[in-house]
Amino acid sequence: MATMKFMCDAERCIECNGCVTACKNANDVEWGIQRRRVVTLDDGEPTEVSISVACMHCDDAPCIAVCPTETLYQRDDGIVLHDKDLCIGCGYCLYACPFGAPQFPQQNAFGERGKMDKCTFCAGGPADSKEEEYQKYGANRISEGKLPLCAEMCSTKALLAGDAQTVADIFRQRVVQRGHADGAWSGNPRADADNLAYDATRQG
């Protein structure tokens, strides 16, 4: 079975926040929740890079290890999901996650945070009906054979999603092509000069 992963190619990300908007539109998340965000390092400097960050669906997810109510679990395809009916809003997952993926809608008295929300890789979550699933977790595009909308809507194809081996192969080919005389970012006649989303794996 495929192991599903995200990867952001920092050399291609232009900080357009299209992935953030696509995620909000697909999942109809409540105000104040950002399942995906774009982080820029060295802003304004020659070394500036941007990356799109969300739940990375870790192989050995620390959030799962610290959750006292077993809200978080991992599917066979590697996607880390959560059961909102079990969440008590303790925030342990937020402290354990190195990517800051868990989001909480409230900050009330006595540390009450509300039910945790995070990226589901557009795979929904446990629910009795499709309507309830969408209301709690957003779109379930994986069940329809589609990739997460954030990756599909990325204008420069910086954000990759899918089988880990396929994603790694695409990125590996890009790295090889970048440093090559006929690579994707050179004057390659096979590439449209105005198309920053040129896929280096395309032939012909």
Side-chain angles (χ1 to χ4, degrees):
M1 175 176 279
T3 300
M4 307 300 271
K5 292 292 179 187
F6 279 121
M7 199 214 74
C8 184
D9 185 347
E11 294 294 322
R12 286 185 173 224
C13 182
I14 58 172
E15 198 185 356
C16 69
N17 281 282
C19 55
V20 177
T21 303
C23 177
K24 282 204 172 269
N25 287 343
N27 300 300
D28 196 24
V29 294
E30 59 185 291
W31 183 258
I33 297 291
Q34 266 194 301
R35 292 185 176 182
R36 179 166 289 282
R37 65 193 186 282
V38 176
V39 177
T40 300
L41 307 174
D42 297 336
D43 195 9
E45 301 295 327
T47 54
E48 176 182 318
V49 292
S50 297
I51 54 172
S52 180
V53 181
C55 175
M56 299 304 285
H57 302 275
C58 308
D59 289 337
D60 186 16
C63 57
I64 295 176
V66 300
C67 180
T69 60
E70 298 183 354
T71 295
L72 292 135
Y73 62 96
Q74 193 159 32
R75 301 192 335 176
D76 292 338
D77 59 5
I79 297 174
V80 176
L81 296 180
H82 61 294
D83 187 338
K84 287 195 174 184
D85 292 334
L86 298 177
C87 180
I88 58 174
C90 65
Y92 287 2
C93 55
L94 176 61
Y95 301 131
C97 177
F99 304 104
Q103 302 280 299
F104 293 88
Q106 303 169 11
Q107 285 293 340
N108 293 336
F110 310 110
E112 182 184 345
R113 296 178 173 87
K115 302 288 187 180
M116 186 270 284
D117 191 274
K118 75 170 193 68
C119 161
T120 63
F121 209 90
C122 284
D128 295 330
S129 66
K130 283 199 162 195
E131 293 75 19
E132 183 188 1
E133 180 183 45
Y134 183 80
Q135 183 182 11
K136 285 184 177 179
Y137 308 102
N140 189 345
R141 294 170 56 85
I142 298 297
S143 66
E144 300 171 4
K146 301 174 183 176
L147 290 176
L149 192 61
C150 56
E152 288 202 356
M153 294 300 289
C154 181
S155 59
T156 61
K157 303 304 176 198
L159 185 59
L160 300 172
D163 174 48
Q165 190 58 55
T166 303
V167 168
D169 289 343
I170 292 171
F171 183 68
R172 189 178 301 112
Q173 184 66 23
R174 286 181 181 179
V175 171
V176 170
Q177 292 290 87
R178 276 182 196 141
H180 197 268
D182 62 355
W185 300 111
S186 67
N188 187 343
R190 295 178 300 174
D192 179 359
D194 296 323
N195 183 9
L196 291 176
Y198 172 68
D199 187 345
T201 63
R202 185 173 63 189
Q203 300 297 318

